[in-house]
Amino acid sequence: MGKRDNRVAYMNPIAMARSRGPAPSSGPTIQDYLNRPRPTWEEVKEQLEKKKKGSKALAEFEEKMNENWKKELEKHREKLLSGTESTSRKKEKKKKEKKKSSRLSPSSSSSSSSDSSSSSSDFEDEDKKQGKKRRKKKYHSSRKSSESSNSESESDSKDSLKNKRSKEDREREKDSKTLVRKRIKNEQGDGLLSSESASESDHTEEVPTKKKKYNEEKEKNDKTKKRKKHKKHSKKK
């Protein structure tokens, strides 16, 4: 039994696309865009003139609206002026009627004058009381404000004194610390100097003792050598 031939023929995609031919266009091409219908210069002028006419119509509409608004404002002003004139006329009529009534009834005028005087005195008394109350309120408010300002100034002065004292205490502490550090450094320096001087003195003392020991050892060696030489000479004889 032989093996199956599973090979597949290779198809070049570029060659296949060329054999199919150009793809169908699904929309307008560049050439169609270039060959599109364009308006002439005369048509463009007509469009511009139409736009200008539109702007003129809008301006005319705005002018008409402004005229209507002005007319409405004038009407409103006339109404207000007529209202003020009518109120002034009504006041004048009332004054004239009061004068006529006062001329006709003198008794009523005397009673009214007494009532008016009593009412005016009452009003004056009330005004005086209200003035006194206002003065008292102002006095109390000013007193409170002065007390509050004094308390604030006292608190500020106390705070400033506390801050000054705290600063002075801190400076004193710093000065004391610096003095202690200087003393410690001086003591340490004296100790180091004394130790150095002691070590130098010890070294100076050690040097002559070593020299003495070396000289004694040297003398002993010399004596031993001499003795040995003397013994050798005596044996030879």
Side-chain angles (χ1 to χ4, degrees), residues 2 11 19 22 24 39 48-49 60 62 73 79 89 95 105 113 115 118 160 165 168 176 198 217 225 237:
M11 302 297 285
S19 64
L48 291 168
E49 285 176 357
E60 289 174 358
E62 285 179 350
L73 283 170
K79 283 180 183 179
R89 284 175 185 174
K95 283 180 181 178
S105 59
S113 63
D115 292 330
S118 62
S160 62
R165 286 175 183 174
E168 288 176 357
S176 63
E217 287 176 355
K225 282 178 182 179
K237 287 178 181 180

Side-chain angles (χ1 to χ4, degrees), residues 51-83:
K51 283 181 181 178
K52 285 179 182 177
K53 284 179 182 177
S55 63
K56 283 179 183 177
L58 201 147
E60 289 174 358
F61 176 73
E62 285 179 350
E63 285 177 359
K64 285 180 181 178
M65 289 292 290
N66 286 326
E67 286 175 358
N68 293 326
W69 182 248
K70 284 177 183 177
K71 286 177 182 177
E72 287 179 359
L73 283 170
E74 285 174 358
K75 286 179 182 178
H76 189 63
R77 282 173 187 167
E78 286 175 357
K79 283 180 183 179
L80 289 169
L81 291 168
S82 64

